[in-house]
Amino acid sequence: MNKVALITGATRGIGKQIAMTLAKEGYDIALNYRRENEELQNAKKEIEANKVECFAMKGDVSNFEDCEELVKQVMEKFGRIDVLVNNAGITKDMLLMRMKQEDFQQVIDVNLVGTFNVTKNVINHMLKARSGRIVNISSVVGVSGNAGQTNYAASKAGIIGFTKSLAKEVASRGILVNAVAPGFIETSMTEVLKDDVKEEIAKSIPLKRMGSSQDVANVVKFLSSEDSSYMTGQVLHVDGGMLM
Ligand SMILES: NC(=O)c1ccc[n+]([C@@H]2O[C@H](COP(=O)([O-])OP(=O)(O)OC[C@H]3O[C@@H](n4cnc5c(N)ncnc54)[C@H](OP(=O)(O)O)[C@@H]3O)[C@@H](O)[C@H]2O)c1
């Protein structure tokens, strides 16, 4: 029986690359997505090309009932969840003085409450199995802060506190909980930036380039594997040296 990884927000960007990378490692993949689009069918085909099963289910991670149903269906389909990757996330950037209350709330609801909603529904299954890996996708700005991102930075800093607290709660039951803090990664989230802004950012990064989704997926693979079996409550920075 293959191990099973559940990845949220996995039809594109970093989530899709994580799903592909874990599929190559032989995991059956359960992926969650928010909007129906052709990327879903492409992602499913690419994952199944690795001779593993792929189960995809629509759901909004900020909605607790959606997450309850998601986990129920994944358990019905595969009977186990070995790895949970809380990846789904959004930005709604604006200086605080102009930020709408709903834009603050929505970013917290998807990024932080969404991480709670999925984890809360998965954790009992991992506790029963007395094993499991949870990898939460935070961000460099959750540690450093960033002008125009009070909502996003607060949600990502919250994920770090959540990760460390849960790691302490479940370590004795064989469940390891870690976070990954990517820097500037080339996905649709950063596509919105103008080319000259991206060039300036790249110049300021010690490794002189933006990261790729694969750079992040490689570290998630490590945190899901036996190679990291003595690590929990950690935040691994994948940012080309942006934050030292
Ligand atoms: N790109 C970066 O530079 C960077 C840096 C640091 C951290 N991160 C973090 O890495 C993660 C992935 O980012 P990305 O760059 O791959 O972003 P992306 O390309 O915008 O993809 C985000 C994914 O999350 C899904 N999603 C959004 N809201 C959701 C919801 N309410 N319920 C379920 N799924 C939802 C999206 O689904 P739809 O396709 O349906 O919209 C999409 O699949 C995020 O947590 C992000 O904060 C990214």
Side-chain angles (χ1 to χ4, degrees), residues 136 158-171 177 232-233:
N136 297 321
I159 285 175
I160 292 174
F162 178 89
T163 299
K164 293 181 178 183
S165 303
L166 184 63
K168 289 184 176 181
E169 288 183 19
V170 298
V177 190
T232 195

Side-chain angles (χ1 to χ4, degrees), residues 9 12 14 34-35 60-61 87 138 152 156 183 185 187-188:
R12 59 193 168 93
I14 293 171
R34 181 182 49 166
R35 287 176 299 194
D60 178 350
V61 294
N87 166 78
S138 177
Y152 184 73
K156 295 298 184 178
I185 309 298
T187 69
S188 53

Side-chain angles (χ1 to χ4, degrees), residues 189-204:
M189 193 175 264
T190 46
E191 221 170 51
V192 290
L193 298 171
K194 290 190 186 127
D195 283 348
D196 56 333
V197 176
K198 283 199 240 177
E199 276 167 29
E200 277 311 305
I201 293 170
K203 269 191 220 157
S204 71

Side-chain angles (χ1 to χ4, degrees), residues 8-15 32-37 39 59-62 86-91 110-111 137-140 152 156 181-190 213:
T8 64
T11 51
R12 59 193 168 93
I14 293 171
N32 148 268
Y33 62 96
R34 181 182 49 166
R35 287 176 299 194
E36 208 82 55
N37 55 38
E39 282 164 334
D60 178 350
V61 294
S62 69
N86 284 304
N87 166 78
I90 57 166
T91 51
V110 173
N111 298 2
I137 307 298
S138 177
S139 165
V140 64
Y152 184 73
K156 295 298 184 178
F184 276 95
I185 309 298
E186 279 185 275
T187 69
S188 53
M189 193 175 264
T190 46
S213 294

Side-chain angles (χ1 to χ4, degrees), residues 6 32 59-73 113-114 116-119 121-122:
L6 166 59
N32 148 268
D60 178 350
V61 294
S62 69
N63 179 305
F64 190 81
E65 286 73 34
D66 278 13
C67 298
E68 228 175 354
E69 191 55 31
L70 168 70
V71 173
K72 188 169 155 248
Q73 298 244 359
V113 180
F116 165 82
N117 287 343
V118 183
T119 308
N121 283 293
V122 165

Side-chain angles (χ1 to χ4, degrees), residues 4-66:
V4 175
L6 166 59
I7 303 128
T8 64
T11 51
R12 59 193 168 93
I14 293 171
K16 180 183 173 189
Q17 204 60 43
I18 292 169
M20 291 292 302
T21 302
L22 293 181
K24 282 189 188 130
E25 292 298 296
Y27 285 82
D28 285 333
I29 301 293
L31 56 87
N32 148 268
Y33 62 96
R34 181 182 49 166
R35 287 176 299 194
E36 208 82 55
N37 55 38
E38 65 183 30
E39 282 164 334
L40 166 66
Q41 290 315 323
N42 294 341
K44 221 171 165 283
K45 268 191 218 144
E46 286 175 46
I47 288 165
E48 284 166 349
N50 296 286
K51 299 196 167 34
V52 297
E53 283 198 64
C54 179
F55 173 73
M57 191 173 158
K58 190 172 174 169
D60 178 350
V61 294
S62 69
N63 179 305
F64 190 81
E65 286 73 34
D66 278 13

